[in-house]
Amino acid sequence: MTEHSWNEDELNELKGKVMAALETVIDPELGIDIVNLGLIYDVDFEKNGLCVIKMTLTTMGCPLADVITEEIHEAVRDIEEIKDVEVKLVWYPAWTTDRMSRYARIALGIR
């Protein structure tokens, strides 16, 4: 596999593609995408085409973690620059409703 180094503009464009793809992944319990819920903490890229997505869930022990992880893999599969995806669940900092976008807050009736 050939290695690729991205410059800052390419990384920003690639991260934008990944975030847009992740907006298609809907939390089955809340009906809002995982980006607007604030569940995505970081997206990083390795030279070998590996995309590492650090995310959390609204609750520890969420029974739908595997479903969401599989949907993430599906969502970014067609991004040409990405050869593989690793989803890392993190619990710190803990998720709170403060991480939600304005859109998600309005949709869920949270002020």
Side-chain angles (χ1 to χ4, degrees):
M1 178 177 292
T2 59
E3 297 220 350
H4 182 78
S5 293
W6 292 290
N7 65 39
E8 189 173 340
D9 289 338
E10 290 171 325
L11 282 173
N12 287 334
E13 182 179 336
L14 184 54
K15 187 171 184 174
K17 286 182 187 179
V18 171
M19 294 301 282
L22 294 176
E23 284 183 346
T24 68
V25 178
I26 306 298
D27 180 294
E29 291 180 316
L30 298 175
I32 306 288
D33 69 86
I34 61 176
V35 173
N36 279 291
L37 283 174
L39 299 180
I40 303 300
Y41 282 7
D42 191 31
V43 176
D44 197 21
F45 306 98
E46 303 290 328
K47 289 182 181 181
N48 62 1
L50 174 66
C51 175
V52 179
I53 299 170
K54 290 183 184 172
M55 68 166 294
T56 195
L57 298 168
T58 55
T59 59
M60 202 177 271
C62 172
L64 299 170
D66 290 342
V67 171
I68 293 171
T69 299
E70 183 59 36
E71 288 184 14
I72 288 171
H73 283 268
E74 245 343 93
V76 298
R77 180 184 64 188
D78 293 333
I79 298 174
E80 184 180 329
E81 299 90 341
I82 296 176
K83 307 303 177 214
D84 198 11
V85 178
E86 180 180 342
V87 178
K88 291 186 175 183
L89 286 177
V90 295
W91 303 107
Y92 184 82
W95 180 85
T96 67
T97 56
D98 293 341
R99 294 191 55 87
M100 295 169 61
S101 71
R102 183 174 180 272
Y103 161 76
R105 291 171 166 284
I106 291 169
L108 295 174
I110 297 173
R111 293 183 175 251

